[in-house]
Amino acid sequence: MPALGAQYNGAAGMEPRVFELFGPAGGSGAAGARGKAGTKSKKAGKSRGRGAKSNNPPYLPPEAEEGNIEYKLKLVNPSQYRFEHLVTQMKWRLQEGRGEAVYQIGVEDNGLLVGLSEEEMRASLHTLHRMAEKVGADITMLREREVDYDSDSPRKITEVLIRKVPDNQQFLDLRVAVLGNVDSGKSTLLGVLTQGELDNGRGRARLNLFRHLHEIQSGRTSSISFEILGFNSKGEVVNYSESRTAEQICESASKMITFIDLAGHHKYLKTTIFGLTSYCPDFAMLVVSANTGIAGTTREHLGLAMALKVPFFLVVSKVDLCSPATVERTLRQLERTLKQPGCNKVPFMVRSEDDAVTAAQQFAQSPNITPIFAISSVSGESLDLLKVFLNILPPLTNSREQEELMQQLPEFQVDEIYTVPEVGTVVGGTLYSGVCKEGERLVVGPTDGGSFLPLRVCSIQRNRSACRVLRAGQAATLALGAFDRSLLRKGMVLVSPEMLPTVCWVFEAEIVLLFHATSCRRGVQVTVHVGNVRQTAVLEHIHGKDELRTGEKAVVRFRFIKHPEYLKPGTKLLFREGVTKGIGHVCSLQVITTETGAL
C-alpha cells in the first residue's frame, strides 16, 4: 500500500515544508550533513562581521522574547536589585516552559557564543543556583562546550536545565504515542523504560503492559495501554524500579512522560487511529526493528503521524540481534524514506549525549527534524540517550496557549468507560478545555436522541493517583458514581451546561483523498475519525465535482448513520474504508437543537 505521507504531499500540499534550521529544502545529502554539523555548534557559521578573529563566528539563533530559553553572557556578583530582576526573569521563563527553562551561559542576546573563563563560569553558576533556590527549582548541567571566538585563552559556554519542583501535583505531562509494525519491540521497550529492568530476550519486560490474556499468549498488543515514566527536578529517572507505585512516581516526578502503547498489527488499525486522534499525543515514537527495517504497517503509521501533524522521532530496536552492517542498512533505508518528497524530513542520528540534548531542542523548534535512536532493550545500548532526550523534550504549547484553554468552559472527551466495584461508573479521557473540579456538575452527551444528561463528578484520578483539579490538556479518569453506564459510549463529551452544547447529523469538511483504488463518489460509506468520535458516515455530496480521485481536494458533505455527534469546526478529520483513506478538517455543521436535562 502506498505510504500515506507520500500521497499526502502530492495532494496539493496542505502546508509548505520549510527547513527552518538547516536552510532550504533540498532533500539532498547536504541537508543531512548540515544536520550532523548542527550537533556541535547549532547553526554555527553565519558571518555577522564583528571584527573578530574568525570570519564565521559561532552563533545560536537570536534570543526570543517568548519561550523558555534564556541567554546570559555572565552572572558574576549581581547587585541585590539586579538579582531580584534575574529571579523575576527566571520565573517568566519557567512559566513559559510550564515548569522548565534552559539557560545558555556565556551567550549574548544576539546568539553570539562568546564564552566565559573558568572563574567567571563558576561565579555565574553559583548565582544561577541562588536564583533557582529562590524560585524553588533545581538545576541540571546539560553540557559544556569550548569556544575559541575572539580569545587566546580557553572559554566555555554551559547549557543548564532549570526545573521547578512541582507543587499540588502540577507536574509537566507529555503524551507520547508509540507506533510501529507488529513485533518491532514497542511493548518491550516501554517495559524496560518504565520498569527499570532490561529484557531477557524473550519478552519478559512486556508482560506487565498487557491487559488481556490473549495478548500475553500471542505477545501482541491489541488494545491501548498507558505507561508512565517520570523525571524528578534534578533530571533523574523515576519509574517502577525500587517497588514504587504509580502514586509515588507522581509524587516524586516534576515531569511525566505518558506513553500510549498502540497496536502494531494491521487488523487493529482502527484502534491505532483512535489512539492518535482521540488522545491528542504531543509526540509520536515510531519503533522500527533493526532486523526487518520498514515493513508491514510501518509506512502506514508514519503516514498517519504526518497526516495528523504529530511530530515523531524514530527508535531502531533490536540492534543486539544484528550485525553493524545490518543496522547501518536499516538506518540508511530510514533516512532515504524521511528525505522523500512526501516526508521532507531531516534525519538526525543520535550517537552521544550531546546529540540527544541538541535533538530534543531542535525537534521541538522545527517539525522537520527527525531524531533517530538505535537501541537494544536486552543489552541496554543507547537507552540512556533516549532517556536524556525525553527528559529535556519541551512541551509544544506555551503558557499563554495553556491559559487561554483554561479560561474556557470545561469540555472532557470520553475515550474509555469502566465499572469499578465500590466506585461505580468511571470514564477515562482528556480534558480538552477549561478546568474540572471534584464535585462539579456537568452534562454528558449526545445520546442517540441528541440530548445531554446531567451528572456529577464524584472524584478524579490522574496517572492512577487522586487529583482534586484537572486542567486543560490533561488526561484523567472521572468517577461518576451511580450514573447508568448503559447510557454512555465512547465519543461522548462531558461539558458545562452553560456551554449549551449543539450536535449534528450532517457536517461539511474540506478533505484531501490520500488514496483510492479508483475514484470516490457520493453514496460511499466510510469510517470517520474526528477527535474521539468514530462512526460510519455517508458521503452525501461533493461540491463542484462528481467524483474524487487520489490526490484531489474538495469540500464534501457527510451524514452520520447511527446517531448525532458533538463536533467543532476546525477539528482535524481522518476517514477510511478498506484501502481508501483521506484527511481534512471540519468546515461547518448543520446544527440541531439539543435537550439538556435539569440539574
Side-chain angles (χ1 to χ4, degrees):
M1 185 183 298
L4 277 179
Q7 296 292 343
Y8 173 61
N9 189 72
M14 294 188 73
E15 69 168 20
R17 306 293 185 181
V18 180
F19 290 165
E20 296 174 1
L21 295 179
F22 296 102
S28 65
R34 283 197 294 275
K36 290 172 185 173
T39 61
K40 291 186 179 177
S41 61
K42 280 178 68 183
K43 209 175 179 179
K46 274 194 178 180
S47 176
R48 308 208 183 182
R50 281 177 55 99
K53 291 181 179 179
S54 171
N55 290 327
N56 294 305
Y59 271 87
L60 292 175
E63 182 186 71
E65 289 293 327
E66 298 178 351
N68 70 335
I69 298 177
E70 177 71 28
Y71 297 166
K72 282 282 171 269
L73 183 56
K74 56 182 161 184
L75 301 168
V76 179
N77 299 325
S79 65
Q80 186 60 35
Y81 174 80
R82 170 72 174 153
F83 181 78
E84 293 300 332
H85 173 73
L86 290 169
V87 168
T88 304
Q89 199 174 44
M90 180 176 280
K91 287 178 181 175
W92 161 253
R93 291 298 185 186
L94 286 169
Q95 184 183 345
E96 283 288 283
R98 290 164 59 187
E100 285 185 356
V102 174
Y103 270 64
Q104 304 271 10
I105 309 298
V107 182
E108 287 188 358
D109 286 349
N110 64 359
L112 180 66
L113 307 184
V114 177
L116 299 178
S117 66
E118 195 170 327
E119 187 178 337
E120 288 175 326
M121 184 61 74
R122 196 182 306 116
S124 296
L125 291 176
H126 176 69
T127 303
L128 202 62
H129 270 285
R130 287 172 52 212
M131 290 160 55
E133 281 180 17
K134 184 91 172 177
V135 300
D138 281 328
I139 79 170
T140 307
M141 307 282 287
L142 293 180
R143 56 184 170 177
E144 194 175 68
R145 293 178 286 173
E146 278 197 11
V147 292
D148 56 1
Y149 172 61
D150 203 17
S151 176
D152 296 325
S153 59
R155 300 173 73 85
K156 295 180 178 178
I157 64 166
T158 301
E159 198 167 342
V160 181
L161 176 68
I162 318 286
R163 180 171 288 160
K164 203 170 187 316
V165 180
D167 50 356
N168 193 26
Q169 294 180 307
Q170 293 314 306
F171 48 75
L172 178 60
D173 191 4
L174 299 182
R175 287 190 291 277
V176 178
V178 185
L179 302 168
N181 190 38
V182 64
D183 300 332
S184 61
K186 301 186 299 296
S187 298
T188 298
L189 173 59
L190 293 192
V192 170
L193 288 173
T194 59
Q195 304 296 324
E197 290 184 13
L198 294 174
D199 188 50
N200 63 351
R202 296 187 296 277
R204 181 181 64 190
R206 69 189 178 198
L207 292 179
N208 292 315
L209 277 64
F210 289 149
R211 300 169 65 184
H212 305 291
L213 179 60
H214 71 266
E215 291 180 322
I216 296 172
Q217 291 170 341
S218 67
R220 293 177 175 177
T221 302
S222 64
S223 59
I224 299 172
S225 64
F226 297 85
E227 298 302 322
I228 56 174
L229 173 67
F231 294 94
N232 63 20
S233 56
K234 296 177 181 175
E236 299 164 341
V237 171
V238 183
N239 55 19
Y240 286 110
S241 59
E242 303 174 16
S243 303
R244 286 191 180 97
T245 62
E247 192 168 356
Q248 289 170 332
I249 291 174
C250 292
E251 287 173 358
S252 306
S254 297
K255 180 177 188 174
M256 193 74 74
I257 307 292
T258 302
F259 292 106
I260 308 168
D261 190 14
L262 301 175
H265 199 283
H266 194 272
K267 69 178 180 179
Y268 304 122
L269 182 62
K270 67 177 183 180
T271 304
T272 302
I273 294 175
F274 180 79
L276 278 172
T277 56
S278 178
Y279 292 106
C280 309
D282 299 292
F283 304 99
M285 178 169 74
L286 183 64
V287 182
V288 179
S289 176
N291 55 356
T292 58
I294 298 177
T297 56
T298 304
R299 286 184 184 276
E300 192 132 21
H301 287 184
L302 173 63
L304 285 171
M306 289 198 63
L308 295 169
K309 298 181 183 176
V310 180
F312 63 90
F313 58 96
L314 299 178
V315 173
V316 178
S317 63
K318 303 184 183 181
V319 298
D320 57 293
L321 292 178
C322 309
S323 66
T326 304
V327 175
E328 198 64 26
R329 188 165 61 247
T330 300
L331 292 174
R332 296 288 81 77
Q333 182 191 22
L334 287 171
E335 287 184 357
R336 284 195 303 272
T337 302
L338 292 174
K339 289 178 181 179
Q340 284 176 356
C343 289
N344 271 357
K345 299 290 184 183
V346 179
F348 191 112
M349 191 64 212
V350 179
R351 302 184 189 274
S352 67
E353 196 167 309
D354 189 68
D355 288 351
V357 173
T358 304
Q361 294 173 351
Q362 294 190 352
F363 180 54
Q365 291 169 6
S366 169
N368 300 99
I369 307 297
T370 304
I372 304 175
F373 299 83
I375 63 100
S376 167
S377 298
V378 176
S379 68
E381 181 181 337
S382 295
L383 275 176
D384 286 343
L385 300 183
L386 184 56
K387 290 174 185 174
V388 168
F389 175 80
L390 293 170
N391 176 38
I392 300 167
L393 195 59
L396 291 177
T397 56
N398 60 32
S399 57
R400 184 178 292 109
E401 291 169 345
Q402 185 74 4
E403 285 294 327
E404 287 174 1
L405 278 175
M406 286 169 56
Q407 297 301 322
Q408 299 173 20
L409 291 170
E411 178 186 321
F412 183 88
Q413 298 181 343
V414 177
D415 302 326
E416 300 283 347
I417 304 164
Y418 317 95
T419 300
V420 180
E422 299 180 13
V423 175
T425 302
V426 174
V427 294
T430 306
L431 187 66
Y432 180 79
S433 64
V435 175
C436 181
K437 299 176 182 176
E438 206 174 81
E440 188 150 2
R441 294 187 178 275
L442 303 171
V443 292
V444 63
T447 62
D448 289 351
S451 61
F452 281 74
L453 307 172
L455 54 75
R456 177 176 171 272
V457 178
C458 300
S459 62
I460 303 172
Q461 277 210 340
R462 185 173 166 226
N463 284 325
R464 302 169 201 171
S465 58
C467 171
R468 290 191 176 277
V469 180
L470 191 64
R471 290 171 170 78
Q474 296 177 344
T477 53
L478 311 182
L480 308 181
F483 192 87
D484 186 356
R485 175 180 173 167
S486 65
L487 298 174
L488 299 172
R489 59 175 171 79
K490 292 180 183 180
M492 282 185 162
V493 289
L494 275 67
V495 296
S496 167
E498 297 174 35
M499 192 181 283
L500 302 175
T502 57
V503 299
C504 69
W505 280 98
V506 178
F507 68 96
E508 291 193 341
E510 185 178 341
I511 66 162
V512 174
L513 190 61
L514 298 179
F515 180 77
H516 196 290
T518 55
S519 62
C520 189
R521 300 170 180 269
R522 14 179 316 203
V524 67
Q525 291 189 6
V526 294
T527 302
V528 174
H529 296 262
V530 188
N532 66 333
V533 170
R534 180 176 70 193
Q535 193 188 146
T536 304
V538 176
L539 197 160
E540 282 195 333
H541 181 67
I542 304 172
H543 288 280
K545 295 183 180 181
D546 294 325
E547 61 182 20
L548 272 180
R549 295 186 179 275
T550 298
E552 291 186 340
K553 187 176 183 178
V555 175
V556 302
R557 186 169 70 235
F558 288 107
R559 176 182 289 275
F560 289 120
I561 285 183
K562 294 182 181 176
H563 41 70
E565 297 283 10
Y566 173 85
L567 299 181
K568 295 171 77 172
T571 314
K572 291 175 191 171
L573 170 147
L574 190 147
F575 63 90
R576 60 182 178 83
E577 182 56 43
V579 295
T580 301
K581 289 181 179 63
I583 59 166
H585 64 273
V586 177
C587 296
S588 60
L589 315 173
Q590 289 189 15
V591 172
I592 59 173
T593 55
T594 62
E595 297 177 14
T596 303
L599 292 173

